[in-house]
Every structure is written in structure tokens, then in C-alpha cells.
Amino acid sequence: MRFQAPQLGALGVAFTTFRAMQFVSLVAIVGMVANFINEIVSSQRDAPDVLVGTLAVASIATLYVSISYILYYDGLLPLLIAAGIDVTLLVASIVVAVTIGKPLSLLKCELLPQPSSPTETFTMSISAREYASAAVKYGNYLSLITTDQPHCYEIKAVWGLGIALCVLFAFSAVLSVGLWRRIKSGVPKDIEN
């Protein structure tokens, strides 16, 4: 049995590429946020709602991206519905990026201390830092990401991938509509046909 991707020209290749980039970004976000939450919970603290929400959205989106590509590959994906779900995930990605990024936009990770040991990372007190007033506003989320440089860079990477996902979901929604129009109109896949 030979597997062959749908032959839908540049739109099909672009759709496949965007789904692959979405999958890689989402798996990276799930891994980093899950690790972050694990370290927080291991230090006997409550995980911030923003991180739990990010993990939930990224996990659902990963499941959707995987299933939708399998259906696309088999020619069973309802492309207009997929475009609608992509727009919904675009909105969810925007909410995640804004929520995570609001306290991060002015944070300079290089000014934070290096970690002294893995066990002390989340048990350090932030009271001596100038972030105390902001930590009250954003709950324990900001106090946890400002403990040291690696955690700051990790959450900034999640933020950056969230922004990238906004672009990826916007383009994949447009590509889904384009693919739907191509299939609906019966336009040949290439000039030779």
C-alpha cells in the first residue's frame, strides 16, 4: 500500500507545511509549559491559571492539528469547518499570547539571577526584588517567572511560539478556504492536466 499526499498544488503543499509548523510549535509549548507546571507543583505551589489555560489550549490545538491533517491526507477534511476551527484557534492563540505576554513585555531576563540549584529555583523569595508590586497584580505568575534566567527565557519562548501560532492559524484558515474553492471548482492541479 503506497501513501500519497493529496495533489492540490501549492495550496496543498503550503497547508501541509503550515500544519507541520503548527504541530512542532504546539508540542514545544506543551512540553515547556508542562515542565514549568511540574516544577511549580513540585515546590508545593499552585500552578498559575495562565499556565494551566495555556496548556489546555495547546493540548486541544495539538489534537486538532493532528486529526485535521490525517483527515486532509485522506481527503475527508471538511475544509470550511476546518477554516472556522482555525479561526477559533487563532482567537485562542491571541488570548494566550496576550495573557502570557502582558507581564513579560518589559521583563529583561538577563537582569535576573542565574539559578543556584534546581531545588532552590521556586523556593526563593521575590520580596527583595522590585517586581513585588507587579507580582501582586498578576498573582504568583510573575513571581514564578522572575525567579531566574532559565525560567524567564522558557516562558518568553512559549510567548514567542504563541505569537507564531497566531500567524500560522491565520494562514491555515485562509489556505483551507483556498483549498475548498479549488476542490469545489474542480480546477486542475497543475498546467499539464
Side-chain angles (χ1 to χ4, degrees):
M1 176 180 229
R2 192 175 136 218
F3 293 104
Q4 183 175 353
Q7 301 299 310
L8 295 172
L11 285 174
V13 172
F15 185 81
T16 299
T17 304
F18 274 83
R19 280 294 190 245
M21 289 188 291
Q22 289 166 348
F23 183 78
V24 169
S25 297
L26 287 165
V27 168
I29 288 174
V30 168
M32 286 188 282
V33 172
N35 179 53
F36 204 62
I37 289 174
N38 180 48
E39 289 181 14
I40 293 168
V41 172
S42 295
S43 68
Q44 299 180 359
R45 289 185 169 186
D46 291 332
D49 292 339
V50 65
L51 294 179
V52 174
T54 301
L55 185 61
V57 168
S59 297
I60 292 168
T62 304
L63 181 65
Y64 162 73
V65 165
S66 301
I67 291 172
S68 68
Y69 186 74
I70 292 168
L71 292 173
Y72 166 75
Y73 193 87
D74 286 341
L76 300 172
L77 181 65
L79 291 164
L80 284 182
I81 294 172
I85 295 172
D86 281 355
V87 169
T88 303
L89 288 174
L90 166 64
V91 171
S93 297
I94 290 171
V95 169
V96 165
V98 168
T99 307
I100 284 180
K102 194 180 291 186
L104 290 179
S105 59
L106 298 175
L107 183 62
K108 292 183 179 13
C109 295
E110 62 273 5
L111 299 178
L112 296 174
Q114 292 288 334
S116 48
S117 77
T119 57
E120 294 178 17
T121 302
F122 284 110
T123 56
M124 291 173 46
S125 173
I126 191 171
S127 60
R129 297 202 182 108
E130 298 169 3
Y131 300 114
S133 62
V136 170
K137 182 177 179 184
Y138 294 105
N140 65 350
Y141 169 61
L142 188 60
S143 66
L144 293 171
I145 61 174
T146 57
T147 56
D148 59 21
Q149 286 183 10
H151 290 99
C152 179
Y153 287 127
E154 182 178 5
I155 201 67
K156 279 198 170 192
V158 170
W159 180 35
L161 288 170
I163 293 168
L165 281 172
C166 294
V167 174
L168 292 171
F169 279 120
F171 276 109
S172 66
V174 171
L175 288 170
S176 293
V177 172
L179 285 167
W180 173 77
R181 289 196 56 188
R182 169 172 275 172
I183 292 170
K184 181 183 170 205
S185 67
V187 173
K189 295 171 228 116
D190 58 35
I191 298 173
E192 295 172 6
N193 287 342

